[in-house]
Amino acid sequence: MTDHSDTHTHDHDLGFAHDLPRMIGRRRLLSLMGGIGLASASGLPALAAQCVALPWETAGPYPADGSNVKDGQTVNALTQAGVIREDLRPSFGEMTPVADGLKLDLELTLQDAEGCTPLEGYAIYIWHCDTTGLYSLYDTTDANYLRGVGVADAEGKVRFTTIFPGCYDGRWPHIHFEVFESPEAAVSGEASLLTAQIALPEAEAAAVYDADARYSNGTRNLGRITIPSDNVFGDNSDDEIAQQTLAVSGDLSEGLTGSVTIPVDFTADRSAQMAPPPGGAGGPGGGMMPPPDSK
């Protein structure tokens, strides 16, 4: 598993510094502090807590941020031109594959946990698996989709368009992220200010996996895991889980919208506290993959 700490550095350069000016302050987004869940799935509002600092969690084995090695090579998407972007479905740089799946429009709000104030100009790097649990650059080596960096506007908001992530055996469905003081910090090797994960809501995830054949193993794998048994989210408090769970709305036939507020505690212990592995076999795709607790 990968663990970020105060002494952790990435092997970055500023190879796409020309991308930065056009991204900063280019959009101001409507505020969505909570949200209504899919009426067809849950029938109840999905309300997000506000200003509960999120705990540090593992980046897993597939961050592609320069912190780990695959087949003897450092894997780093953050040095590639085009990684600062809004639509995460296509690959970028020299890669061309496009991720297939149910469209998900994300609005992430970055806040200082002390005072709930927006973190304007801060950057967030997110990455997640595809519909069946595979990660670009590791499982799918010819693609770098479902990864990207966004820069917070004056309200602390960042928007991405991606797909609804799948659910692989052994882990609750989730989205990884790292928060940095600036986009320059994200690409220059500075340690993240927060490394954590966004949890997907159960009812909405179940509805997607049941309705969409592209998520062929989602229903089965979701039925094998719970938040309490997940070895990343399982030791979080109820308030932390409420804070880090995506509020989802929309139409399964047209695509979904998700919002979450990410409060950063700048004094927090910068380490991932992992619960014991829940056991069980396999990883994404059913092949010989890293253990599910590390993803």
Side-chain angles (χ1 to χ4, degrees), residues 19-36:
D19 286 347
L20 303 180
R22 66 183 178 83
M23 300 298 298
I24 298 175
R26 75 172 191 171
R27 54 186 182 268
R28 298 182 61 86
L29 309 177
L30 296 176
S31 177
L32 292 176
M33 300 304 293
I36 304 300

Side-chain angles (χ1 to χ4, degrees), residues 56-288:
W56 274 68
E57 290 161 338
T58 178
Y62 303 141
D65 60 359
S67 64
N68 68 347
V69 174
K70 174 181 171 60
D71 298 331
Q73 299 295 318
T74 299
V75 182
N76 194 345
L78 294 178
T79 59
Q80 299 180 19
V83 71
I84 298 181
R85 64 209 190 113
E86 187 170 309
D87 192 343
L88 308 185
R89 294 170 297 179
S91 293
F92 57 94
E94 297 181 356
M95 294 185 174
T96 59
V98 178
D100 189 27
L102 180 66
K103 181 182 177 183
L104 175 65
D105 290 318
L106 289 175
E107 184 179 82
L108 313 179
T109 302
L110 304 185
Q111 290 185 345
D112 185 339
E114 183 176 353
C116 303
T117 54
L119 294 175
E120 180 180 6
Y122 282 63
I124 184 169
Y125 167 47
I126 76 168
W127 69 98
H128 63 82
C129 69
D130 67 9
T131 57
T132 60
L134 303 180
Y135 283 83
S136 67
L137 293 174
Y138 295 87
D139 301 316
T140 309
T141 58
D142 64 340
N144 55 12
Y145 47 55
L146 308 181
R147 302 178 180 274
V149 173
V151 183
D153 67 11
E155 296 176 340
K157 297 183 181 300
V158 183
R159 172 175 288 172
F160 294 107
T161 295
T162 185
I163 66 168
F164 198 91
C167 179
Y168 50 83
D169 198 12
R171 276 303 318 278
W172 189 262
H174 59 280
I175 296 171
H176 292 269
F177 69 87
E178 294 176 326
V179 176
F180 298 89
E181 187 174 7
S182 66
E184 293 88 348
V187 305
S188 64
E190 293 187 25
S192 65
L193 300 172
L194 174 64
T195 297
Q197 300 179 24
I198 298 166
L200 301 187
E202 181 175 12
E204 287 80 354
V208 171
Y209 302 154
D210 181 64
D212 194 323
R214 292 173 291 187
Y215 297 84
S216 57
N217 59 2
T219 298
R220 180 194 67 201
N221 291 336
L222 186 63
R224 294 175 174 176
I225 189 73
T226 64
I227 287 283
S229 67
D230 183 77
N231 73 317
V232 172
F233 298 130
D235 59 350
N236 293 358
S237 70
D238 290 344
D239 286 345
E240 288 169 340
I241 292 297
Q243 183 72 68
Q244 69 192 126
T245 297
L246 196 68
V248 175
S249 62
D251 187 332
L252 290 175
S253 64
E254 299 294 332
L256 303 177
T257 298
S259 62
V260 69
T261 297
I262 299 172
V264 179
D265 179 358
F266 292 93
T267 67
D269 176 21
R270 297 184 179 189
S271 62
Q273 301 299 319
M274 296 294 293
M288 294 300 293

